[in-house]
Amino acid sequence: MPHPFQVTARCTSTRARTGRLSLVHGTVETPVFMPVGTLGTVKAMAPEDLAAAGARIILGNTYHLYLRPGCDVIERFSGLHRFMHWDGPILTDSGGFQIFSLAKLTRITEEGARFQSHLDGSGHLLTPERSIDIQITLDSDVIMCLDQCIAYPAERRAAEDAMEITTRWAERCRRTWLERTGGKNALFGIVQGGMYADLRRRSAEALAAMDFSGYALGGLSVGEPNQMMYDVAEAALPLLPDDRPKYIMGVGTPEDLVELTARGADMFDCVMPTRNARNGQLFTRHGTLNIANSRHRTDTAPIDPACDCYTCRNYSRAYLRHLYQSREILAYRLNTLHNLHYYIGLAAGMRAAVREGRFERFRRDFYTAREDRND
Amino acid sequence: MPHPFQVTARCTSTRARTGRLSLVHGTVETPVFMPVGTLGTVKAMAPEDLAAAGARIILGNTYHLYLRPGCDVIERFSGLHRFMHWDGPILTDSGGFQIFSLAKLTRITEEGARFQSHLDGSGHLLTPERSIDIQITLDSDVIMCLDQCIAYPAERRAAEDAMEITTRWAERCRRTWLERTGGKNALFGIVQGGMYADLRRRSAEALAAMDFSGYALGGLSVGEPNQMMYDVAEAALPLLPDDRPKYIMGVGTPEDLVELTARGADMFDCVMPTRNARNGQLFTRHGTLNIANSRHRTDTAPIDPACDCYTCRNYSRAYLRHLYQSREILAYRLNTLHNLHYYIGLAAGMRAAVREGRFERFRRDFYTAREDRND
């Protein structure tokens, strides 16, 4: 079947590139940042807020939605889109990461992952086939293969075993996906291998041979030093087919987005803009700003005078601080809107820079602006 | 000075009427329901949400805003409107009710009310003059006189003392208001007197003689039986000047709005639609519905198929239940939007019914629909 991605421009001095990803519910320009909608809502956002912040694709978490509200509920709505009133593309993860990070008494066998729910302790078995089935029920635009995640640091042997089982599961996911959808929705394979460059390479090569719609690097941003993450990405990304989208899962800071785009990554997701917003940490060109800081108490200026998000167009730092200090619900929404606008705008800025042949300058300016700190 | 209210239509069989209240920041059609924006935000709502729900005037709480963020902050914005990004009319209460219900170690003297902040125990003195000053700093469209509230039940003597001090304070408020604004923003007097009809009458007559822009009944909905509240309103409302707006403070249920409109009230405010929304209780023509109820788990229908609010147009009961059970922030916003739309729509429905000479039928239909219960 035709694969859904075209590269549209390239940076001549780095591996940065722009692309177009055509999915069932719409087309996405890359590099792209995808807000995380864990439980069928990007926390504090309505779908119209996401669109206003520039979001074109969002994430759903299979593990969470499977437990709450349950697949039988979402099936009544023929998928997650109508359930949550978002008609754009949705990427769903496989559940592998939450089983590793959240579930209790997890046991991995060849068959799949047995675990107890973090909510009520109930027992579950998630096989590669079941993960694909659930994601099809969610009507995901981008389905992810079930992978086994490991902690950092990990012994080489544990990293190798997890990588190999992830590869075997990828075969089973691909077969189920072809049988169930005929390849209509996209399916991405996930590269594992811990921080071992040679394992990452073996994983990338094995998955590349299976011809997925796209590829992801999993198991990054789990506590390793930044440079190590960049090195792993630099080792693995070039081994993945150039004509497929490359997605770094669960990453990261604004710097990470810039550095990994320079190394050839196309897609990112992270809870950082949304979670930090709820903790009063706001992203700007000049670094982060803590809205609880008393120096904002009487400040009539917006978070960033150059930002054209809804929050910056209409509200002052003094008001945002007041809302945040008073734990008003509107605080979480206004802060989240701004942070998502920043992250999504950063990706848009990189796309424009690559298209116009000035990505290296964009990257330099990005760091220069951050030296003029806010706090 | 010209007073800001005109009666535009009357019901022939009850005291229900419609009117137009012209304020500095806009014109308000009555009967009207005013959402409560305690801390410079109607909880979970952005100003655009309020406008979409049909709100034309909102409330601010002087006591709360005086303590947090403080008048010096709001002064930088020349008032509450720009601070909170709401450019429509705002009515502010005087602080009297919160000093009664929330503050600690309150002591009332002729001078004013001494109290300790419920936030940090700091000591404060709120005089009638200071209350007006603060409300002018907030640039309130409708300023309320400082009143002394009492508990229910109250001894006649306590009710009489509180009523009399409220009357003397009203004089001082009026003088300060004239000096400071020249009568530009509206000033309402507050009728007190507990549940004693003769005290309420004395209070109403004394205030009426002072020629306020409008009049309120305070100290209702403090635990008394419903019929008693209606009786007090029925005794006091006709004694207030017919050509002035009449406002029942802190009231109430949908039934209260209908019954008090029938008795001649024009304005209402209450935290019920917003607070109950945050507790999962949703108002409909057919009574209230608890969204946490498991029978909504797979229900693809909206809260009310006949409701055209944003929530009902776009979301199902199953989704709202899921959000609420998951304590997602969006739950509070969507529920609040619906409840405010219901309350504001109820007032709009009464206006249309009065104008079209069918208020009595409206009132009957209102009760008939509620017999077809939701839960």
Side-chain angles (χ1 to χ4, degrees):
Chain A
M1 72 230 72
H3 70 83
F5 187 68
Q6 284 93 42
V7 175
T8 51
R10 293 179 191 277
C11 172
T12 52
S13 54
T14 70
R15 290 188 177 274
R17 62 200 200 154
T18 61
R20 184 170 297 124
L21 182 60
S22 301
L23 302 168
V24 175
H25 289 86
T27 294
V28 174
E29 303 289 329
T30 65
V32 66
F33 178 78
M34 305 179 286
V36 180
T38 305
L39 274 164
T41 167
V42 174
K43 287 188 194 306
M45 295 284 94
E48 289 81 0
D49 297 329
L50 294 170
R56 293 293 169 264
I57 176 171
I58 62 171
L59 230 79
N61 285 128
T62 291
Y63 170 88
H64 287 287
L65 293 165
Y66 161 75
L67 293 178
R68 244 188 341 190
C71 295
D72 62 319
V73 173
I74 295 177
E75 202 155 23
R76 302 259 182 148
F77 295 84
S78 309
L80 192 50
H81 298 80
R82 191 157 70 85
F83 182 59
M84 70 177 288
H85 175 52
W86 167 260
D87 59 9
I90 297 177
L91 180 149
T92 49
D93 64 6
S94 64
F97 183 73
Q98 279 77 26
I99 287 172
F100 155 70
S101 63
L102 214 52
K104 293 181 288 187
L105 297 183
T106 298
R107 202 158 54 82
I108 305 289
T109 64
E110 193 60 36
E111 185 186 14
R114 281 187 192 281
F115 64 94
Q116 286 188 357
S117 159
H118 72 293
L119 295 173
D120 62 6
S122 55
H124 301 270
L125 168 65
L126 191 67
T127 63
E129 292 78 11
R130 183 81 182 111
S131 174
I132 300 300
D133 274 344
I134 295 169
Q135 294 180 73
I136 290 170
T137 297
L138 299 176
D139 196 20
S140 173
D141 290 78
V142 179
I143 297 168
M144 301 300 298
C145 289
L146 185 65
D147 58 338
Q148 186 190 343
C149 297
I150 51 169
Y152 172 83
E155 297 291 330
R156 183 182 168 85
R157 186 53 199 258
E160 187 166 15
D161 287 350
M163 181 272 280
E164 286 180 345
I165 205 165
T166 296
T167 305
R168 291 193 298 274
W169 284 355
E171 271 289 356
R172 289 164 56 186
C173 285
R174 191 168 183 284
R175 200 177 319 128
T176 306
W177 167 71
L178 277 176
E179 284 168 13
R180 292 282 317 271
T181 74
K184 194 184 101 195
N185 303 33
L187 177 70
F188 281 27
I190 304 180
V191 173
Q192 289 289 355
M195 302 304 156
Y196 301 94
D198 64 314
L199 296 183
R200 288 280 178 178
R201 271 194 292 274
R202 266 175 54 199
S203 175
E205 283 161 2
L207 293 172
M210 289 185 219
D211 191 26
F212 285 101
S213 325
Y215 296 87
L217 302 191
L220 290 181
S221 202
V222 289
E224 75 280 10
N226 259 22
Q227 192 55 52
M228 186 180 285
M229 173 171 72
Y230 298 156
D231 290 347
V232 168
E234 200 161 310
L237 286 171
L239 302 176
L240 296 169
D242 182 73
D243 62 350
R244 303 297 150 98
K246 302 176 186 183
Y247 162 32
I248 315 274
M249 302 184 83
V251 174
T253 64
E255 293 88 336
D256 292 341
L257 264 61
V258 172
E259 289 310 310
L260 292 167
T261 294
R263 287 163 175 80
D266 305 298
M267 301 165 71
F268 305 94
D269 80 283
C270 191
V271 295
M272 190 171 265
T274 42
R275 178 177 294 165
N276 289 23
R278 299 195 305 280
N279 293 322
Q281 195 182 56
L282 302 173
F283 292 93
T284 81
R285 293 165 302 144
H286 304 304
T288 58
L289 167 162
N290 191 335
I291 199 64
N293 195 311
S294 63
R295 74 185 177 81
H296 304 305
R297 185 171 175 274
T298 58
D299 193 340
T300 59
I303 302 166
D304 180 352
C307 175
D308 66 346
C309 82
Y310 169 77
T311 304
C312 286
R313 278 186 283 115
N314 298 301
Y315 302 92
S316 63
R317 293 180 181 202
Y319 184 67
L320 295 172
R321 177 178 188 272
H322 164 66
L323 289 184
Y324 184 73
Q325 296 293 91
S326 307
R327 288 171 169 56
E328 284 287 349
I329 292 173
L330 185 59
Y332 307 112
R333 180 166 166 223
L334 296 181
N335 291 354
T336 302
L337 261 172
H338 171 80
N339 276 359
L340 283 179
H341 187 273
Y342 173 82
Y343 261 72
I344 292 164
L346 178 59
M350 292 197 286
R351 290 199 301 270
V354 170
R355 271 198 304 267
E356 295 159 17
R358 52 176 180 78
F359 178 75
E360 278 287 35
R361 183 149 58 90
F362 178 95
R363 190 181 183 181
R364 271 197 314 277
D365 293 347
F366 170 83
Y367 286 107
T368 306
R370 294 173 86 75
E371 279 160 26
D372 178 13
R373 307 289 295 178
N374 273 301
D375 267 351
Chain B
M1 70 230 72
H3 69 84
F5 186 68
Q6 285 92 41
V7 175
T8 50
R10 294 181 191 275
C11 172
T12 51
S13 54
T14 71
R15 291 187 178 274
R17 63 201 201 153
T18 61
R20 184 171 298 124
L21 182 60
S22 301
L23 302 168
V24 175
H25 289 86
T27 294
V28 174
E29 303 288 330
T30 64
V32 66
F33 179 79
M34 307 180 285
V36 180
T38 305
L39 274 164
T41 165
V42 174
K43 288 190 193 303
M45 294 284 94
E48 289 81 358
D49 297 329
L50 294 170
R56 293 293 169 265
I57 176 171
I58 62 172
L59 229 80
N61 285 127
T62 290
Y63 171 89
H64 287 287
L65 292 165
Y66 162 76
L67 293 178
R68 248 191 334 193
C71 295
D72 63 318
V73 173
I74 295 176
E75 202 156 22
R76 304 260 181 147
F77 296 83
S78 309
L80 192 50
H81 298 82
R82 192 157 69 86
F83 182 59
M84 70 177 287
H85 173 53
W86 167 259
D87 59 10
I90 297 177
L91 179 150
T92 50
D93 63 6
S94 64
F97 183 74
Q98 279 77 28
I99 288 172
F100 155 70
S101 62
L102 214 52
K104 293 180 289 187
L105 296 182
T106 298
R107 201 158 55 82
I108 305 289
T109 65
E110 194 60 35
E111 185 185 16
R114 282 190 191 280
F115 64 94
Q116 287 190 357
S117 158
H118 72 292
L119 294 174
D120 62 5
S122 56
H124 302 269
L125 168 65
L126 191 68
T127 63
E129 292 79 11
R130 182 82 182 108
S131 174
I132 301 299
D133 274 345
I134 296 169
Q135 294 180 72
I136 290 170
T137 298
L138 299 176
D139 196 21
S140 174
D141 290 78
V142 180
I143 296 168
M144 301 300 300
C145 289
L146 185 64
D147 57 338
Q148 186 191 345
C149 297
I150 51 168
Y152 172 82
E155 297 291 328
R156 184 183 167 86
R157 186 55 198 259
E160 187 164 16
D161 287 350
M163 182 272 279
E164 287 180 345
I165 205 165
T166 296
T167 304
R168 293 193 297 275
W169 285 355
E171 271 291 355
R172 289 163 58 187
C173 286
R174 193 168 181 284
R175 200 177 319 127
T176 307
W177 166 72
L178 276 177
E179 285 168 14
R180 292 283 317 273
T181 73
K184 193 184 103 199
N185 303 32
L187 177 70
F188 281 25
I190 304 181
V191 173
Q192 289 288 354
M195 302 305 155
Y196 301 94
D198 64 314
L199 296 182
R200 288 281 177 177
R201 272 194 292 271
R202 267 175 53 200
S203 174
E205 282 160 3
L207 294 172
M210 290 185 219
D211 190 26
F212 286 101
S213 327
Y215 296 87
L217 301 191
L220 290 181
S221 202
V222 290
E224 75 281 11
N226 258 24
Q227 191 55 52
M228 186 180 285
M229 171 170 74
Y230 299 156
D231 289 347
V232 168
E234 201 162 308
L237 286 171
L239 301 176
L240 296 169
D242 183 72
D243 63 350
R244 303 296 150 102
K246 304 176 186 182
Y247 162 31
I248 315 274
M249 303 185 81
V251 174
T253 63
E255 292 88 337
D256 292 341
L257 265 61
V258 172
E259 289 310 309
L260 292 166
T261 295
R263 287 162 176 80
D266 304 300
M267 302 166 69
F268 305 93
D269 80 282
C270 190
V271 294
M272 190 171 266
T274 42
R275 179 177 293 165
N276 290 22
R278 300 196 304 283
N279 292 322
Q281 196 181 56
L282 302 172
F283 291 92
T284 80
R285 294 166 300 147
H286 304 304
T288 57
L289 166 162
N290 191 334
I291 199 63
N293 195 312
S294 63
R295 75 186 177 81
H296 303 306
R297 184 169 176 274
T298 59
D299 193 341
T300 58
I303 302 166
D304 181 350
C307 175
D308 67 347
C309 82
Y310 169 77
T311 303
C312 286
R313 279 186 283 113
N314 297 301
Y315 301 93
S316 62
R317 294 181 178 200
Y319 184 67
L320 295 172
R321 177 179 189 271
H322 164 65
L323 289 183
Y324 184 73
Q325 295 293 91
S326 306
R327 289 167 168 57
E328 284 287 348
I329 292 172
L330 186 58
Y332 306 112
R333 181 168 167 223
L334 296 181
N335 291 353
T336 302
L337 262 172
H338 171 81
N339 276 359
L340 283 180
H341 187 272
Y342 173 81
Y343 262 71
I344 292 163
L346 177 61
M350 291 196 288
R351 291 198 300 271
V354 169
R355 271 197 304 268
E356 295 160 18
R358 53 176 178 78
F359 178 76
E360 277 288 34
R361 182 148 57 91
F362 179 94
R363 190 181 184 182
R364 270 198 313 276
D365 292 348
F366 170 83
Y367 286 107
T368 306
R370 294 173 86 76
E371 279 161 25
D372 178 14
R373 308 288 296 178
N374 273 299
D375 267 353

